[in-house]
Amino acid sequence: LSTAPNIVGTDMFPVALDPASLIAEYPWSLLSAIVESSDDAIVSKNLDGIVTSWNESARRIFGYTPEEMIGQSILRIIPRELQWQEEEILRKMRAGERIEHFETTRVAKDGSSVEVSLTISPVKDSSGRVIGTSKTARDISTRKKMERLLVQSEQMAATGRVAATMAHEINNPLEAVMNLVFLARHCCAEGTDMHRYLERAESEVERVSHIARTTLGYYRDHGAPTEVFLHEQVDAALLIYESKLSARGIAIERRFEDQRRIRLNKGEMTQVFANIISNSVDAMPQGGAIRVHVAETNGPGGAWVRAVIEDDGTGIEEDHLSRIFEPFFTTKPDVGTGIGLWVTKQLIENRGGRIMVGSDTSWGAHGTKVTIDLPYAA
Ligand SMILES: Nc1ncnc2c1ncn2[C@@H]1O[C@H](COP(=O)(O)OP(=O)(O)OP(=O)(O)O)[C@@H](O)[C@H]1O
Ligand SMILES: [Mg+2]
């Protein structure tokens, strides 16, 4: 290490100790071993911002080897829009000031962003003149990610409470309106303008009610999670559509191979499968078959369970496929609201799982395959 005093300025020693005595006491090789084994990136620069040392953790965090960085400008790891920071840092260093726990973003060799907490100290020569800087950078990307997730889930919970209240408040008067319109329609003769207007009013009110019910269903507390077989939830959803399925001439093929129970919210999961099956039913006006297969599988971090629901309906056009999880995206202007898959995705992801949809619209091979993966661990 050419800039020996750097080490002292990096928070590695208790403040009360005199750095000079430490350097005298510790053999050089030991100090450099400490720097190398630090979890934090430890880097030194001269006052032009040229890197003069680069430890092992700097290599790990930023991806550059010491050979690639020593002699190069530190700007290499500073995103273009933040390069003004370096001038500010160097100005403070020249004035002999220290910067502590400065949270910012740097860019690694592979182009990925790294969130870091920087502590930067001026390095002085024996006459007290500032000759460079020493910097420790702690990778705080994971912590930042957790913080953002926390904020996001709090926002979700707040939005959920508002939505649930609204849906509930809307639904009750809406049901009254629906009943009144229904009665009014039956009071006037069929074929009259009045009858047609009331028919339109009824279907529009029905639509609003469907949106309110679905959002309420999504946020409603379905009770505590319980231990169930995933295939039971698929079966429960199939039961809801039983009469519709047989009326359309849709055959069901079941293959249930999951042997372990999974802890989840029954109501939510039935809603998930009901949404998927109702989409398949909508896509098969001429009948056909729905194949459901539930089995255990391996996923990130251990055992998962996978449910595959496959239909031979019309399929989803390629330019629609990327939009099906958007709220209010629908190709069913009269009957659809476009929130079924959006809600489904939220419910699956809230339980730590994922959903994938593949589809084919080509003649002879058309159909849609929905795959849901859930980790057994909650
Ligand atoms: N199995 C399927 N076969 C064909 N198209 C599908 C299938 N599943 C989804 N889609 C397409 O994705 C769109 C979005 O589905 P989504 O369930 O979110 O809304 P929706 O069914 O239109 O309305 P709703 O809110 O009543 O469920 C559908 O309009 C349809 O175009
Ligand atoms: Mg739907």
Side-chain angles (χ1 to χ4, degrees), residues 210 279 283 311 315-316 324 329-332 336-341 368:
H210 175 75
N279 283 345
D311 66 50
I316 305 170
I324 56 173
F329 174 78
T330 181
T331 54
K332 311 167 192 168
T337 51
I339 47 181
L341 285 180
T368 300

Side-chain angles (χ1 to χ4, degrees), residues 28-327:
W28 228 186
S29 57
L30 179 60
L31 285 176
S32 100
I34 293 172
V35 171
E36 276 310 300
S37 63
S38 163
D39 266 353
D40 295 341
I42 301 179
V43 172
S44 58
K45 303 174 293 189
N46 66 19
L47 283 181
D48 295 323
I50 302 298
V51 175
T52 51
S53 77
W54 186 261
N55 77 342
E56 171 57 23
S57 282
R59 189 199 58 72
R60 182 176 47 80
I61 295 171
F62 300 113
Y64 290 105
T65 62
E67 292 72 30
E68 286 172 308
M69 282 308 289
I70 294 174
Q72 299 294 321
S73 168
I74 195 70
L75 291 177
R76 202 168 184 181
I77 61 160
I78 305 182
R80 195 179 298 273
E81 65 280 11
L82 296 179
Q83 295 202 341
W84 57 269
Q85 288 179 348
E86 180 60 11
E87 200 38 56
E88 185 61 18
I89 290 169
L90 290 176
R91 192 187 61 72
K92 287 198 162 169
M93 292 301 118
R94 285 190 204 101
E97 290 174 40
R98 184 178 147 96
I99 298 171
E100 282 183 57
H101 310 304
F102 170 51
E103 295 189 357
T104 182
T105 305
R106 294 294 177 252
V107 55
K109 188 178 178 182
D110 65 5
S112 61
S113 292
V114 187
E115 285 168 292
V116 288
S117 166
L118 301 179
T119 293
I120 313 171
S121 320
V123 174
K124 297 173 183 165
D125 66 9
S126 51
S127 67
R129 197 166 54 95
V130 178
I131 53 166
T133 73
S134 127
K135 156 159 99 176
T136 58
R138 176 159 299 175
D139 185 352
I140 53 166
S141 304
T142 314
R143 195 192 86 202
K144 284 281 175 194
K145 200 168 151 193
M146 295 305 286
E147 280 172 8
R148 275 194 295 272
L149 278 175
L150 198 68
V151 170
Q152 209 178 36
S153 69
E154 274 168 9
Q155 281 169 348
M156 275 291 286
T159 319
R161 279 193 293 276
V162 174
T165 316
M166 272 182 54
H168 187 80
E169 293 302 314
I170 289 172
N171 237 2
N172 290 347
L174 215 53
E175 253 164 47
V177 174
M178 225 144 63
N179 290 338
L180 293 170
V181 175
F182 176 84
L183 292 173
R185 184 163 62 86
H186 282 271
C187 286
C188 50
E190 260 183 65
T192 59
D193 281 350
M194 183 65 86
H195 194 273
R196 272 198 300 279
Y197 297 152
L198 288 169
E199 218 167 39
R200 281 280 302 279
E202 215 177 321
S203 81
E204 290 302 305
V205 175
E206 173 76 62
R207 207 143 80 120
V208 179
S209 162
H210 175 75
I211 296 176
R213 265 201 315 272
T214 321
T215 47
L216 176 65
Y218 165 32
Y219 289 113
R220 185 170 40 206
D221 185 9
H222 286 287
T226 41
E227 300 265 338
V228 289
F229 290 107
L230 192 67
H231 71 252
E232 289 173 348
Q233 305 315 302
V234 181
D235 241 4
L238 285 169
L239 194 67
I240 297 174
Y241 288 99
E242 202 172 35
S243 55
K244 207 164 182 180
L245 289 165
S246 64
R248 287 264 174 108
I250 299 172
I252 303 292
E253 291 169 29
R254 293 173 172 84
R255 229 168 92 211
F256 295 154
E257 296 171 334
D258 51 327
Q259 311 271 337
R260 274 176 68 183
R261 289 174 205 271
I262 178 167
R263 194 171 178 77
L264 44 76
N265 211 306
K266 278 168 71 173
E268 285 183 0
M269 222 31 76
T270 309
Q271 191 179 349
V272 160
F273 292 115
N275 289 347
I276 293 168
I277 291 160
S278 90
N279 283 345
S280 292
V281 173
D282 291 342
M284 292 192 286
Q286 318 293 338
I290 297 178
R291 286 173 294 280
V292 290
H293 182 202
V294 186
E296 285 160 37
T297 176
N298 280 324
W304 287 48
V305 57
R306 164 170 289 181
V308 179
I309 295 111
E310 222 172 331
D311 66 50
D312 46 23
T314 51
I316 305 170
E317 283 173 33
E318 208 177 319
D319 50 337
H320 290 165
L321 201 55
S322 58
R323 304 194 53 202
I324 56 173
F325 293 116
E326 286 174 17

